């Protein structure tokens, strides 16, 4: 089922303290960016983010490419209407509060499944605590039977939701979108909610989300290997650095075995095939290409999955040229290409003591390992 996402990020105040909570940073990404990345990873198209007037520049800076920005209205209902107007024709739409960053593609797929038998679906948690109502100093116990705490995202078939919003009076404040569909008689179902979908509301919620973000991430490892043959020339490209030498490396692109091995390692960490799948050697447009673009593409795929690269380690295997004098330049180049701190990047070198094709200087080989942190 093709679906769009509307993320409501138009709040300007903050009960959580400080800057509007959707633009606070959580482990290097703005809170709103977490949901954007999860929706993209789950295949939402388009992803619309509704922001407050005046926050567009901030939003553009923190949300990255491939997001439609829309200005919100005075109320949540008006903001959702503005978002819905921007999604075009899709079968379904998910509406989500930006203040719930720990959304995963698994939540999204479960909601899509639920739409097979309903007009709307939302995650909800049973009320576990005893409920009390205090009025005029009188405390009474409220029956919690059948009560649920509604979360987001809430998923809808587009047509019934659009109809419901057309009939919904702007005067009535809807605190969620399922309420709008319910009022029009649409069939809404609950799916199991997730405590990790907590909405950041109060200052202490941010610390809780930070702790949950820690455990909700998984680490994956990928490895890559590449080798290129030496031929006549005046230098080699290795890890994005030109190294003077009395030979060159032969290849379709610039034959940078270090970058190729590292690109394959990153692709491997997110199970995204290999460098040849993304940049076929049969395609003439990659002839002589600087291998930077291969590496940047692999890193972008990690970001699209809501992940981040946490470490890379490259080993170059050759008798000549000597790598050590260029090692720091290579680390700096990789750090710049991957937008990572230098202490996340390792470049090493070894010989094979004269043995094998590298020992005979027929060619140069490279191995790489990359670690990537992804939403769990
Ligand atoms: Mg290669």
């Amino acid at each position: 089922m093709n679906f769009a996402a509307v993320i409501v990020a138009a709040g300007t105040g903050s009960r959580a303290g400080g800057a509007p909570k959707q633009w606070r940073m959580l482990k290097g990404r703005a809170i709103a960016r977490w949901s954007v990345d999860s929706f993209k990873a789950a295949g939402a198209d388009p992803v619309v983010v509704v922001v407050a007037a005046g926050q567009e520049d901030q939003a553009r800076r923190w949300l990255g490419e491939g997001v439609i920005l829309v200005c919100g209205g005075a109320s949540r209902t008006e903001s959702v209407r503005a978002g819905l107007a921007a999604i075009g024709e899709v079968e379904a739409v998910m509406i989500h509060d930006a203040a719930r960053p720990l959304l995963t593609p698994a939540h999204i797929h479960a909601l899509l499944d639920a739409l097979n038998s309903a007009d709307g679906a939302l995650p909800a948690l049973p009320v576990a605590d005893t409920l009390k109502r205090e009025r005029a100093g009188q405390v009474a116990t409220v029956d919690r039977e059948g009560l649920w705490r509604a979360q987001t995202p809430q998923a809808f078939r587009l047509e019934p939701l659009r109809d419901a919003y057309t009939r919904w009076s702007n005067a009535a404040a809807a605190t969620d979108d399922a309420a709008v569909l319910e009022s029009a008689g649409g069939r809404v179902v609950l799916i199991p909610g997730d405590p990790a979908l907590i909405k950041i509301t109060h200052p202490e919620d941010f610390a809780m989300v930070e702790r949950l973000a820690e455990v909700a991430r998984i680490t994956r490892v990928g490895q890559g290997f590449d080798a290129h043959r030496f031929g006549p020339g005046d230098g080699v490209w290795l890890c994005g650095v030109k190294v003077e030498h009395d030979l060159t490396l032969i290849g379709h692109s610039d034959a940078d075995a270090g970058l190729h091995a590292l690109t394959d390692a990153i692709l491997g960490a997110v199970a995204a095939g290999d460098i040849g799948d993304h940049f076929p050697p049969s395609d003439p447009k990659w002839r002589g290409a600087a291998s930077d673009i291969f590496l940047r593409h692999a890193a972008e795929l990690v970001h699209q999955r809501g992940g981040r690269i946490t470490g890379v380690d490259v080993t170059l295997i050759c008798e000549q040229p000597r790598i050590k004098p260029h090692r720091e330049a290579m680390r700096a180049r990789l750090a710049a290409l991957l937008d990572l701190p230098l202490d996340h990047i390792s470049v090493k070198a070894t010989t094979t003591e004269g043995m094998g094709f590298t020992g005979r200087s027929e060619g140069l080989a490279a191995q790489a390992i990359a670690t990537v942190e992804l939403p769990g």
Side-chain angles (χ1 to χ4, degrees), residues 225-228 250-253 255-261 264 275 291 294:
F225 174 84
D226 193 34
H228 282 270
I250 309 297
H252 191 72
S253 62
D256 187 330
L259 287 189
H260 295 180
D264 264 356
I275 197 169
S291 299
F294 308 152

Side-chain angles (χ1 to χ4, degrees), residues 174-216:
T175 55
D176 75 353
D177 305 287
V180 175
L181 184 62
E182 291 155 19
S183 75
R187 178 174 148 69
V188 174
V189 295
L190 304 181
I191 70 162
D194 182 351
L197 278 173
I198 176 175
K199 182 176 185 177
I200 300 173
T201 310
H202 304 290
E204 60 272 24
D205 297 337
F206 190 82
M208 170 78 84
V209 163
E210 260 187 328
R211 284 199 295 276
L212 286 169
E214 203 74 61
V215 295

Side-chain angles (χ1 to χ4, degrees), residues 122 251 295:
L122 63 132
L295 187 68

